[in-house]
Amino acid sequence: MEIEKSLYDNLQSFFGFDAFKGDQEAIITNILNKKDTFVIMPTGGGKSICYQLPALMSEGTAIVISPLIALMKNQVDQLRAFGGTDSIAHFLNSSLTKGEIARVKEDVTAGKTKLLYVAPESLSKEDNVQFLRSIMVSFVAVDEAHCISEWGHDFRPEYRKIRSIINEIGDDIPIIALTATATPKVQSDIRKNLQMNDATLFKSSFNRSNLFYEVKSKKNVVKEIVKFIKNNAGKTGIIYCLSRKKVEEIAEVLNINGIKALPYHAGLDAKTRAETQDKFLMEDVEVIVATIAFGMGIDKPDVRYVIHHDIPKSMEGYYQETGRAGRDGGEGVCLAFYSKKDVDKLTKFMKDKPVSEREIGTQILKEVIDYSESSVCRRKQILHYFGEKFDETGCNNMCDNCRSAKTYFEAEGDLLKVLGFIKQEGNKFDDHHIINVFLGQNNQPISSYKHDTHNLFGYGKELGLNYWNSLLRQAELSDFIKKDIDHYGLLALTEDGIKYINNPYAIKYVLNRPLENSDEDSIDDAGPSSGALDTELLKMLKDQRKKIAKQKSLPPFVIFQDPALDEMCTHYPVTIDELKQIHGVGSGKAIKFGASFVELIKNYVEEKGIDRAQDLVVKSTANRSALKVSIIQNIDRKIGLDDIASSKGISYEDLLKEVESIVYSGTKINIGYFVDEMIDQDRQDEVFDYFKSAEVDSIKLALAELGEEDYTYEDIQLMRIKFLSELGN
Ligand code: ADP
Ligand code: ZN
């Protein structure tokens, strides 16, 4: 009774909460009774209080082992703010100076410090171990305990030393291990490694009922993401990519499209990363584009969406990362893009790893593939992965698969065949092998087991791969078979499976809807060629161009080039700013000639009731190469074009092509200094006049008109660049 009373008092007075969440109270009581405690609670469940509160109430100092310095600092700051004193919580890690370390030790020894956060690396340092041996330790909390396991998504070898160090520090120190990701496999790893077999287990449900899960084929991914963010303006979200390069690229393309986004990955310096985190918390930025390094310990309750630009490497990672959405119980959309190419890429990465790691990685990845390709309720699949039974009616249409029409098939007969096969042949085969048997596909393992002569060989050939994939996946989700990820994903018959064989009943399974083919994972996919051309508008734009050309006494090609008009017909820009985003327009041209064009397009769009949101203008970074930027800078410094070419290691012809494309994309540059050197004034005037009255910008025609004996191809090309830049941009 005493404990109970002060528990509530402390919860209210220190943390300001009225009631415990979930198992918190039972967990805290357990550790206060000095029992080893194992807490499995999803992100946002409220794990921190489970060790913070008992630490405050215990004699001595609790040691909290935590993998990330940022995470520690965050928590220590919070505790100090609540407690009103700095000495109540400290951390020991490599970021501290000698003086700071002395101060920490002083406070701890004086008994002022209730929680001491330690990084696993610091924990193994001999003088720290010595120090910890000299103090009174109330208990040890191992946060993010899944870091112990290779089967988790965040393995840290130093975590494996924790047990032996605790043994050095003292006898009978209770341990509380906490994690948000525990498949049965990771769970048993943690228990084994921390030698806490008798620990009381507190496992909360992993169901996050407010999260909406969706997997889409990776097609036009950049455009899809931009569209999604624009439709969710004013909300904050996180986009995860697998590589730093992708992170940078996507952040840039979002910014070009008017979305405030910042990159975040381990390659950025600590200061930049800290600033980015702060901006995210303060909502100075809408979107963080990150590698998985972002998010751990960042308690922003109102993240409204998490997008996976690339498929995640593991279901644990996916669950953790999506778990950062909607922590306040409000809206949280989790959208992942899936492509076979990403799978290949990840598989290729693993090629260089040691065999055992590669095998583990392959099995972990296989789960993600099965999840993505299946048409079964996503929530059911996720929870099954974490060892929970879930009836999909409880999903409440909060996943894409529950919202789409499903094709069911009566599975009983074929299911019995599969289960019977495993029973007869033993738990020695993976899904791939079994499916090959049913499809009648021979290969080396099939023939070495003589399965090509088995009576089921080729039994379900005409049903096809997708059918058997669907069936095996769901036999697993029904717990009739169990995959041993430790052993190459071999499938074993379970007790439920044996029961089903003995007492079969009708059962309906869902046929997987094959995903659309994904396309090349490239930013260019938002380029000008997407979508069909609106020929009616194109004609109107060409007429307009003619009209303006006449008014200004300029040839039409100076106003806008054809590809630019084409693009206007797919993207329908209705403001000057939008017009600037069209390839080949640029800010100079847009301001100079754009007004009447956007006016025309606006009227047209209104009249026809065209839904422009369907076809957002997504500007790509593709035409802003470093080479072009450098050429422009060199021209500004009046360096000869031939010299620029040789300093860039390209031919003069190629350089002219680059300069041309700079000018054609609407950038004004002044090459007069160089032209003057190459061509005398009279001849310059002659070419200039020619282009002024020309119908088209062809160099061949110009040469024919002006005489090939007087001009070279490059002369005309140079003059055309000068002409277009002066009059057009
Ligand atoms: P986890 O570490 O499991 O992801 P945290 O410990 O960061 O979760 O807690 C998640 C959120 O829930 C925090 O905003 C925390 O303040 C809040 N929280 C924790 N316990 C309670 C409680 N008993 N009542 C209300 N809110 C709580
Ligand atoms: Zn569902």
Side-chain angles (χ1 to χ4, degrees), residues 70-89:
L71 194 94
M72 280 183 209
K73 194 172 168 310
N74 209 313
Q75 289 214 357
V76 168
D77 286 347
Q78 261 175 16
L79 286 164
R80 287 173 174 174
F82 281 139
T85 149
D86 275 6
S87 44
I88 196 162

Side-chain angles (χ1 to χ4, degrees), residues 58 122 142 203 237 299 315 322 505 538 557 660 700 706:
S58 299
S122 310
V142 182
K203 186 166 190 280
D299 186 11
M315 286 303 288
T322 53
Y505 48 87
L538 185 64
F557 61 83
E660 212 157 45
K700 260 205 199 121
L706 296 165

Side-chain angles (χ1 to χ4, degrees), residues 33 37 44 98 100 132 141 147 174 276 305 347 367 560 586 600 646 648 662 715:
N33 287 330
T37 311
K98 274 217 174 88
E100 286 167 333
L132 295 176
C147 294
T276 302
Y305 54 88
T347 311
E367 291 297 320
F560 292 122
L600 189 156
S646 65
K648 295 286 158 207
I662 292 168
D715 288 343

Side-chain angles (χ1 to χ4, degrees), residues 376-380 390 392 395-403 406:
V376 174
C377 172
R378 307 275 180 209
R379 183 165 267 100
K380 183 185 171 105
F390 180 77
E392 62 255 55
C395 178
N396 292 323
N397 280 340
M398 285 294 280
C399 83
D400 55 348
N401 283 342
C402 282
R403 284 193 191 176
K406 292 195 181 88

